[in-house]
Amino acid sequence: MRIGSIIDGIERKEENRETLPVRNPYNQEKVADLALADESDLEEAVNNSFETFHSIMKTMPAHERSDILRRAADLLEEQAEDFAETIVQEAGKPITFSRAEIKRSVQVLRFSSELAKHIMGEVIPMDAAVGGENRIGIVKREPLGVVGAITPFNFPLNLSLHKIAPAIAAGNTIVFKPAEKTPITAYKLVHLFQEAGLPKGILNLLIGTGEEVGSPLVAHDKVHKISFTGSLPVGKNIRENAGFKKVTLELGSNSPNIIFDDADIHQTVTALVKGAFAFSGQVCISAQRVYVQKNVYDTFLKEYVKQTNALKIGDPKREETDIGPMINEEESKRAKRWIDDAAEKGANIETGGTRDGTILTPTIMTNVDKNMKIIGEEVFAPIVSVIPFDNEEEVIAFANDSIYGLQAGVFTKDIDRALRLADQLETGGVWINEISTYRQDNHPYGGVKQSGIGKEGVKYAIEDMTEIKFIGIKRNG
Ligand code: NAD
């Protein structure tokens, strides 16, 4: 399979292009060759998206945009298994988790289809200002123009749709630059939109590297907004490079989960096994720091190790696999180095800590401190640390002692305490009696501090992908 960029409906995969292979992270088999885009393709893609915005999208009625999104949802449901298998192949995500990603993605399309018809404005009481009598003020939301969507490897379908579907709902055109590690899902998604009736040029695809096409996309004057999901260093670079355009940044975290002594230990452990190890911890809201009240700490840790040891490791294609590979060997080696570094500084490895190629065994660490990378930085691997605490005040300080703030989980039966923590935790979202790793596609989602800027979740993404326009009318007589 050889794939290339799609600009104005035409694929670009000539033989003379620079090529990059995509490999299955589990067995290293080649899945596809990428015919890479360069800066001249970027220029054409942006210009075409800009023209298509003015010639088609700006005047496309809301009911048509809504219909296209609904048809895309129906098609994705029909093609669900093919998309799930593609994610297994290029990302190494276990099949059951890949299927769950498709289900969520269908919902993103359906929410976007519904909300395309509900982009509301308001009427301003102009006579509230002295001298404003006989005037009418209308506020409406308009599309921005060209949205640059840059996405990571870990949810190649769902996170792409969190940008593309609201952008279409709002009436924008899109230049889509997916992760070069997982571009096949993106390529199939663009074909799916064509099948759903999206006119060519509304969604242009650039298959290329961050340096070659991502960076000039961010800097381009005809792009009105960049919606980025990915790592903190790249996010910082984008913020500096974007000039005056709007920017949404969905970045990383080292999510805290807090377990008080009145929580149901068995159930909480079961949730946190998934929360820390789903897709080998390569999830931005993966449970990384688990704080447990001292009097239940030993019971909790024993149960956590027991349930973690029961996970099935192996081929992500198999139905029973819980833990597959990490995205590549460089990443599994990096994660192993972080474990070893922590162990050298005095941390204990309660279970796991071994590596075989791209597979890192699910690892639980204790006796950790904030100077270790596994606590202070985003681990993005199947590594979780369990840390004891005495009281509410202490654990709030522990949890907030981070440059990140994406989502947190709090487990307690005491509703007053839960609500106090929800107020005190410095994160974009707080779950009570649910893991930090849980996300639905209709709630506002996005971090504070260095976890990002702006919110996704379809309604909120649409708000960020539209501009408010004021229209004033003076009545003469
Ligand atoms: P990454 O930052 O390495 O790459 C993300 C995308 O940015 C890719 O498409 C890449 O090609 C592009 N890119 C790289 N350099 C660029 C540049 N200079 N200019 C423009 N684009 C550039 O991230 P990744 O390894 O694919 O994904 C993992 C990261 O994503 C983790 O840090 C994770 O926390 C984060 N993430 C965040 C969320 C969220 O919603 N907050 C969700 C998923 C993943």
Side-chain angles (χ1 to χ4, degrees), residues 151-154 177 180 228-231 250-252 284 378 445:
T151 53
F153 75 84
N154 63 338
K177 212 290 298 157
E180 54 272 45
F228 171 76
T229 302
S231 61
E250 299 284 348
L251 311 177
C284 49
E378 178 185 38
Y445 178 82

Side-chain angles (χ1 to χ4, degrees), residues 400-402 404-406 421-428 430 448-449:
N400 286 343
D401 187 10
S402 169
Y404 294 110
L406 193 47
L421 265 96
D423 283 348
Q424 294 294 323
L425 289 171
E426 296 164 355
T427 50
V430 176
V448 296
K449 302 202 258 185

Side-chain angles (χ1 to χ4, degrees), residues 247-468:
V247 174
T248 296
L249 301 175
E250 299 284 348
L251 311 177
S253 190
N254 56 356
S255 296
N257 284 261
I258 299 169
I259 294 90
F260 285 94
D261 59 5
D262 59 349
D264 182 315
I265 297 297
H266 183 85
Q267 264 182 23
T268 308
V269 166
T270 304
L272 278 164
V273 168
K274 204 169 169 192
F277 302 127
F279 193 28
S280 293
Q282 300 169 116
V283 178
C284 49
I285 36 179
S286 199
Q288 181 171 329
R289 298 175 291 151
V290 173
Y291 296 102
V292 185
Q293 205 157 19
K294 266 187 188 147
N295 50 334
V296 291
Y297 178 83
D298 289 338
T299 317
F300 181 94
L301 182 60
K302 202 165 154 214
E303 181 66 21
Y304 206 5
V305 170
K306 184 177 145 209
Q307 289 196 33
T308 299
N309 288 342
L311 291 172
K312 294 203 170 55
I313 302 173
D315 190 342
K317 255 192 346 219
R318 297 171 75 96
E319 299 286 332
E320 66 272 23
T321 298
D322 301 302
I323 305 283
M326 292 184 65
I327 190 68
N328 55 36
E329 192 154 357
E330 209 181 313
E331 272 297 286
S332 66
K333 280 184 178 162
R334 191 262 314 154
K336 171 76 172 116
R337 271 200 311 277
W338 286 20
I339 295 171
D340 294 343
D341 166 71
E344 271 164 32
K345 289 178 176 150
N348 301 327
I349 303 171
E350 300 291 338
T351 187
T354 59
R355 187 182 74 85
D356 180 8
T358 48
I359 292 189
L360 190 76
T361 48
T363 304
I364 299 178
M365 309 284 292
T366 54
N367 204 29
V368 293
D369 69 57
K370 68 174 190 179
N371 299 316
M372 299 170 182
K373 281 175 183 286
I374 56 166
I375 294 296
E377 296 188 25
E378 178 185 38
V379 81
F380 218 60
I383 306 169
V384 65
S385 294
V386 187
I387 304 149
F389 72 89
D390 272 320
N391 57 47
E392 202 176 307
E393 202 183 359
E394 182 187 48
V395 78
I396 290 168
F398 282 163
N400 286 343
D401 187 10
S402 169
I403 59 165
Y404 294 110
L406 193 47
Q407 255 187 192
V410 176
F411 292 83
T412 178
K413 292 196 178 82
D414 180 344
I415 187 69
D416 295 327
R417 174 156 67 188
L419 292 173
R420 279 195 301 274
L421 265 96
D423 283 348
Q424 294 294 323
L425 289 171
E426 296 164 355
T427 50
V430 176
W431 269 108
I432 294 164
N433 293 322
E434 178 59 279
I435 46 178
S436 63
T437 325
Y438 185 82
R439 177 185 179 186
Q440 266 181 214
D441 300 287
N442 60 338
H443 69 72
Y445 178 82
V448 296
K449 302 202 258 185
Q450 294 187 39
S451 286
I453 301 172
K455 295 279 181 276
E456 291 196 335
V458 178
K459 171 174 179 264
Y460 306 92
I462 289 175
E463 279 171 12
D464 279 356
M465 289 184 183
T466 48
E467 192 66 81
I468 280 176

Side-chain angles (χ1 to χ4, degrees), residues 107-124:
Q107 295 194 60
V108 174
L109 283 163
R110 294 213 187 285
F111 283 129
S112 301
S113 169
E114 289 158 14
L115 289 171
K117 294 183 177 177
H118 295 273
I119 299 176
M120 304 290 186
E122 58 186 345
V123 175
I124 304 291

Side-chain angles (χ1 to χ4, degrees), residues 33-105:
D33 273 322
L34 307 180
L36 294 180
D38 58 24
E39 218 171 323
S40 68
D41 299 302
L42 173 271
E43 195 58 37
E44 285 185 49
V46 173
N47 281 324
N48 178 252
S49 290
F50 188 82
E51 281 156 22
T52 313
F53 174 70
H54 289 284
S55 61
I56 301 180
M57 201 47 159
K58 216 174 164 182
T59 50
M60 187 188 282
H63 65 84
E64 262 180 47
R65 305 198 303 270
S66 174
D67 283 351
I68 291 168
L69 289 161
R70 200 192 55 250
R71 282 198 295 273
D74 294 344
L75 285 168
L76 185 55
E77 255 173 350
E78 281 167 26
Q79 298 170 24
E81 198 57 20
D82 180 52
F83 270 91
E85 282 167 13
T86 304
I87 293 176
V88 173
Q89 275 195 332
E90 66 176 353
K93 184 177 286 188
I95 184 72
T96 49
F97 295 103
S98 297
R99 287 194 191 115
E101 180 174 346
I102 313 300
K103 279 203 173 125
R104 282 186 51 197
S105 304

